[in-house]
């Protein structure tokens, strides 16, 4: 009597564990869609850059692969007013003349110092930021080459507010 009860219990345990295994299979199947959902969430590679009242970018060299999805987040960590110490991040095309670009930018206050006539030389740009402000821009890394990025606020490029994007 006792033995048959034990056997019965064993059978029940086996049946339950069998069910457990069956249940595990769909659970493993559920994992695949979850992993897929994570892929878009990975998104672009984020590059955080800080600008300050000393007219410097915290990042002056960016390396990337052609076609790579990038997101630049610029933060103005300074305290001086935007009118005196605004900062932006402007990535120019490989054939752009950076000195000529910033020369034209000086008289382009109405368009936040990004000259409309040279818009074709801009690959990506953030807004012009006042103190404690941030902006971001997403773009694909262009063809292999070397690209200048800069702050186009008057005179900032001249004192070194610039850097290089190297695409391989
Ligand atoms: Co600046």
């Amino acid at each position: 009597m006792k033995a048959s009860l034990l056997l019965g219990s064993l059978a029940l345990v086996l049946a339950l564990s069998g069910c457990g295994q069956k249940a595990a299979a769909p659970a493993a199947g559920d994992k695949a869609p979850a992993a897929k959902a994570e892929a878009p969430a990975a998104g672009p590679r984020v590059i955080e850059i800080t600008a300050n009242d000393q007219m410097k970018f915290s990042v002056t060299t960016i390396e990337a692969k052609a076609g790579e999805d990038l997101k630049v987040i610029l933060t103005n960590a300074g305290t001086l007013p935007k009118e005196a110490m605004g900062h932006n991040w402007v990535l120019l095309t490989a054939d752009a003349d950076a000195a000529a670009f910033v020369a034209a930018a000086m008289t382009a206050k109405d368009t936040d110092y990004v000259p409309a006539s040279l818009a074709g030389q801009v690959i990506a740009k953030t807004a012009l930021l006042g103190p404690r402000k941030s902006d971001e821009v997403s773009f694909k890394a262009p063809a292999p080459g070397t690209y200048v990025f800069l702050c186009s606020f008057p005179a900032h490029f001249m004192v070194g507010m610039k850097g290089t994007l190297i695409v391989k």
Side-chain angles (χ1 to χ4, degrees):
M1 197 65 177
K2 265 192 176 180
S4 71
L5 266 176
L6 185 63
L7 280 173
S9 302
L10 273 172
L12 185 64
V13 166
L14 284 171
L16 281 173
S17 66
C19 278
Q21 275 176 348
K22 268 183 192 171
D30 288 345
K31 256 191 177 178
K36 267 184 195 171
E38 278 167 24
R45 177 157 62 96
V46 173
I47 300 152
E48 293 187 73
I49 305 177
T50 302
N52 59 27
D53 290 344
Q54 285 69 50
M55 292 170 281
K56 295 284 183 255
F57 283 131
S58 60
V59 174
T60 54
T61 305
I62 301 169
E63 292 188 1
K65 295 188 189 98
E68 186 180 0
D69 289 316
L70 302 174
K71 180 194 279 187
V72 166
I73 303 174
L74 178 69
T75 300
N76 180 356
T79 57
L80 295 171
K82 183 179 177 181
E83 295 69 30
M85 188 58 73
H87 300 298
N88 60 8
W89 185 90
V90 182
L91 177 65
L92 299 181
T93 54
D95 61 346
D97 179 339
F101 186 90
V102 295
M106 288 189 80
T107 55
K109 187 175 188 295
D110 291 347
T111 50
D112 283 347
Y113 302 109
V114 176
S117 61
L118 299 179
Q121 297 184 358
V122 176
I123 294 172
K125 66 178 170 72
T126 67
L128 186 69
L129 302 174
R132 309 300 185 198
K133 299 288 185 192
S134 289
D135 190 31
E136 62 183 49
V137 59
S138 295
F139 60 99
K140 275 191 190 300
T146 301
Y147 302 79
V148 171
F149 62 80
L150 53 83
C151 172
S152 67
F153 194 90
H156 288 195
F157 172 79
M158 273 74 89
V159 297
M161 205 161 187
K162 61 186 173 183
T164 309
L165 169 68
I166 301 161
V167 183
K168 289 175 178 171

